[in-house]
Amino acid sequence: MKLSELSAETGVSTASLKYYLRESLLAPGEPVTKTQSEYGPEHAERVRLIRALVESGGLSLAQVRRVLDALDSPAVPRHDLLGVAQEALTESTAFVGDPEWTALAAAFVADRGWRIQDGDVLIPQLGAQLKTLVASCDVGGQETLARWADAAESIAAADLDTLSDDDAQALRTAVVGTVLSDKVLQTLRRLAQQDCTARRLDPVD
């Protein structure tokens, strides 16, 4: 198919497709003349993935590039699959957090017995997020945080259970699934809040 046909099939403008090609987010097509190339189903699949990551996943193009690089990487050990997903989604610049709150976050994670890599950027991120949360509203302190962590452990276990025996498919599920399921989890939380409120405050006789 021509570039215009690829645009029509994927719903992405030709200008965006040309940008993806210039930035090597999309592989070149098969040249047929000096000015035209042919594109196949694999190009359409890649464009749909980019669109999903940007529109549904809310990623920047820099993050999309890291996700695609992860998907195009050589075989990844299975115990590193979700780590590759997290690395692709984490901003490459170092995160500078509040030392006191970073220490509190690290202590909380250690108390739960979670096996986290030394220097993981998510620890200072968690500390900064907790600092902002506590300064803005009362959410119940340690007990609430512990319940959130319990739920996170259950979700993480469900994530691992979705990984197939095929390494390439498992990597795609780990990376793309992590991005897009974040939005699903957010929506499910909103729906569950509505249901919980209705059950507690307006019970059906």
Side-chain angles (χ1 to χ4, degrees), residues 107-159:
F108 175 79
V109 168
D111 286 344
R112 293 195 68 90
W114 287 357
R115 296 166 59 181
I116 307 299
Q117 292 182 346
D118 292 339
D120 195 305
V121 69
L122 295 175
I123 300 299
Q125 275 190 11
L126 176 60
Q129 290 161 353
L130 293 174
K131 179 180 180 181
T132 301
L133 181 63
V134 169
S136 303
C137 60
D138 180 9
V139 293
Q142 285 282 101
E143 180 181 354
T144 300
L145 183 59
R147 293 177 68 183
W148 287 343
D150 289 341
E153 287 180 359
S154 179
I155 292 168
D159 290 338

Side-chain angles (χ1 to χ4, degrees), residues 100-198:
E100 180 181 354
W101 283 90
T102 296
L104 288 172
F108 175 79
V109 168
D111 286 344
R112 293 195 68 90
W114 287 357
R115 296 166 59 181
I116 307 299
Q117 292 182 346
D118 292 339
D120 195 305
V121 69
L122 295 175
I123 300 299
Q125 275 190 11
L126 176 60
Q129 290 161 353
L130 293 174
K131 179 180 180 181
T132 301
L133 181 63
V134 169
S136 303
C137 60
D138 180 9
V139 293
Q142 285 282 101
E143 180 181 354
T144 300
L145 183 59
R147 293 177 68 183
W148 287 343
D150 289 341
E153 287 180 359
S154 179
I155 292 168
D159 290 338
L160 285 172
D161 289 342
T162 66
L163 302 183
S164 70
D165 293 334
D166 179 84
D167 288 343
Q169 183 59 42
L171 177 61
R172 183 182 178 90
T173 299
V175 177
V176 180
T178 296
V179 176
L180 300 183
S181 66
D182 278 349
K183 298 298 183 181
V184 174
L185 291 170
Q186 185 181 75
T187 301
L188 287 173
R189 183 187 188 188
R190 303 291 188 269
L191 292 169
Q193 286 174 339
Q194 289 187 41
D195 174 69
C196 189
T197 299

Side-chain angles (χ1 to χ4, degrees), residues 13 20 52 149 173-174 191 200:
S13 69
Y20 296 163
T173 299
L191 292 169
R200 292 188 184 188

